Amino acid sequence: MKFRLLAFSLAIAVSSSAAIAEPSDSVLAFSTDNDLFAPTQTDRDYTAGVAITYSSNSREFMNNPVSRASQGLDNLLSSGFHTESGNRESAALEFGVYGFTPEEISATTIDRTDRPYSSLVYLSSSQSYQGLGEGSGWTTSMTVGMMGLDVFKSSQDSIHKVVGSDQARGWDHQISNGGEPTFRYSAAYHHYMGSNEPNQQVKTTYFGSVGYLTEFGAALVFRGGLISSPDNRFNPELMAYGERAPGVSAVGGRESYFWGGMSVKARAYNAYLQGQFWHSDHELSANDLNVLLAEVWAGYTYSFGAGATLSYVLRAQSSEIKNGTGNRTLAWGGLVFSKRLGAR
């Protein structure tokens, strides 16, 4: 019921605004991640995710009920940037699901030295703001969701049955099994360097979040080639596993460019490994986890006719777990197909 309610809320917000938003300002994207998309082709850690994202800079969409709640939280918590309507540049809503598994998925017993099963069904609202100074900006995101539902488990079982892979048999031990509400709020400051160069863009980002992922860090991001989409909708450094909003690029013309970056972060809490308030059969303690993490990524974006764009990205992150079976580098790949609404 709660999964259907989240999907219904996103559908209402998108459909009510899409009809009145200017076509050139609105993008609908479908994204999917899988560790099988990486060269290592493993089936563990952040194993897969699926999301639908709608992004627009129309005033009507930015004032939908979900975005207004997120913007109200920005006003309440943040004083480093202006949140008046004149300074908001775009907003995004994203609905998705993703999950994590240990290395040995065919076992029913728990490997206490590996990561637990965990999953999230979520709705995220994000906004981009113009910075106080030239060449700067802010993005914020509010995510609500449910951990521990059977949505990801059922999807994984169906896909593995079709492709003939081993069934994951430990989902009864996942974090917050049965469903537990969760929340995350994040904010990031961007400094754009060389933004006057049409074929090369570089920026630094300083970010932080509180909630099921509590962390802060810094990132260096670049892209080079044929670029026509705006800086404020290109934020690959803000991906939190499967969550991309507001990282959907709005195409203003033909595009063909490579992009990449790196980030370092200090993470104080990870609910996917440590659990939340409710009991979980398998949880790791803070002493089991690395505080400092590094992440690198590289991708390519190409636009087709009628405002359609396809992107591929490969990501790698240093180990989240200090010792044992779970002490390994994470790697996964992702595909994003986006369509500029109204383009011909």
Side-chain angles (χ1 to χ4, degrees):
M1 175 61 74
K2 292 177 180 177
F3 176 81
R4 293 195 296 269
L5 181 60
L6 285 173
F8 179 74
S9 300
L10 179 63
I12 290 295
V14 170
S15 62
S16 63
S17 59
I20 53 182
E22 296 181 13
S24 61
D25 297 329
S26 304
V27 175
L28 184 65
F30 173 81
S31 58
T32 179
D33 299 313
N34 203 300
D35 46 11
L36 295 177
F37 294 164
T40 53
Q41 295 192 336
T42 59
D43 195 6
R44 63 191 185 195
D45 300 315
Y46 172 44
T47 183
V50 177
I52 299 174
T53 310
Y54 179 82
S55 177
S56 178
N57 65 357
S58 74
R59 295 300 167 201
E60 293 83 0
F61 175 72
M62 287 193 286
N63 288 324
N64 75 74
V66 180
S67 293
R68 286 181 65 87
S70 180
Q71 293 159 15
L73 190 58
D74 293 343
N75 284 323
L76 180 65
L77 299 178
S78 304
S79 59
F81 55 93
H82 293 307
T83 56
E84 297 90 350
S85 60
N87 290 298
R88 293 199 303 266
E89 295 184 322
S90 65
L93 289 180
E94 181 172 287
F95 176 69
V97 56
Y98 59 91
F100 305 81
T101 60
E103 182 170 24
E104 182 51 68
I105 64 172
S106 60
T108 57
T109 57
I110 298 174
D111 182 353
R112 299 290 177 182
T113 68
D114 205 347
R115 70 180 311 129
Y117 286 83
S118 55
S119 65
L120 176 70
V121 179
Y122 68 93
L123 175 67
S124 180
S125 174
S126 305
Q127 7 282 323
S128 296
Y129 297 99
Q130 183 180 3
L132 296 176
E134 185 178 355
S136 65
W138 288 84
T139 56
T140 65
S141 183
M142 179 189 74
T143 303
V144 294
M146 293 288 291
M147 298 185 67
L149 297 179
D150 285 340
V151 176
F152 187 86
K153 168 186 179 296
S154 300
S155 300
Q156 187 184 49
D157 286 347
S158 299
I159 294 173
H160 280 206
K161 185 177 296 185
V162 170
V163 300
S165 298
D166 292 337
Q167 295 294 300
R169 303 175 63 190
W171 278 107
D172 289 342
H173 304 298
Q174 71 171 311
I175 295 290
S176 304
N177 189 42
E180 181 181 7
T182 194
F183 173 86
R184 185 173 76 100
Y185 177 82
S186 65
Y189 171 76
H190 311 281
H191 174 63
Y192 303 104
M193 300 178 292
S195 58
N196 58 334
E197 297 292 335
N199 62 347
Q200 181 175 325
Q201 296 177 355
V202 180
K203 69 174 177 177
T204 55
T205 298
Y206 305 93
F207 57 89
S209 68
V210 293
Y212 54 83
L213 289 176
T214 299
E215 62 188 20
F216 65 91
L220 178 66
V221 185
F222 73 89
R223 55 178 176 165
L226 180 60
I227 302 171
S228 60
S229 53
D231 286 339
N232 70 311
R233 295 201 204 181
F234 181 75
N235 301 296
E237 74 278 21
L238 300 185
M239 280 187 60
Y241 300 113
E243 299 170 49
R244 280 186 167 81
V248 176
S249 184
V251 179
R254 297 290 294 178
E255 293 199 304
S256 176
Y257 61 85
F258 291 94
W259 47 279
M262 62 186 70
S263 68
V264 291
K265 65 187 76 173
R267 180 172 291 165
Y269 171 64
N270 185 343
Y272 301 122
L273 296 171
Q274 297 173 257
Q276 295 193 131
F277 300 103
W278 296 3
H279 168 75
S280 299
D281 292 343
H282 178 32
E283 300 175 355
L284 299 178
S285 70
N287 292 331
D288 297 322
L289 306 181
N290 291 311
V291 173
L292 295 178
L293 301 173
E295 185 175 358
V296 296
W297 60 90
Y300 175 71
T301 294
Y302 182 79
S303 65
F304 302 89
T309 300
L310 181 65
S311 298
Y312 170 78
V313 60
L314 174 64
R315 288 181 173 266
Q317 180 188 280
S318 61
S319 178
E320 298 173 318
I321 301 173
K322 288 181 180 179
N323 301 299
T325 308
N327 180 14
R328 56 181 176 260
T329 300
L330 284 66
W332 68 93
L335 295 170
V336 182
F337 175 80
S338 62
K339 177 68 169 65
R340 178 182 171 199
L341 301 183
R344 299 180 183 279

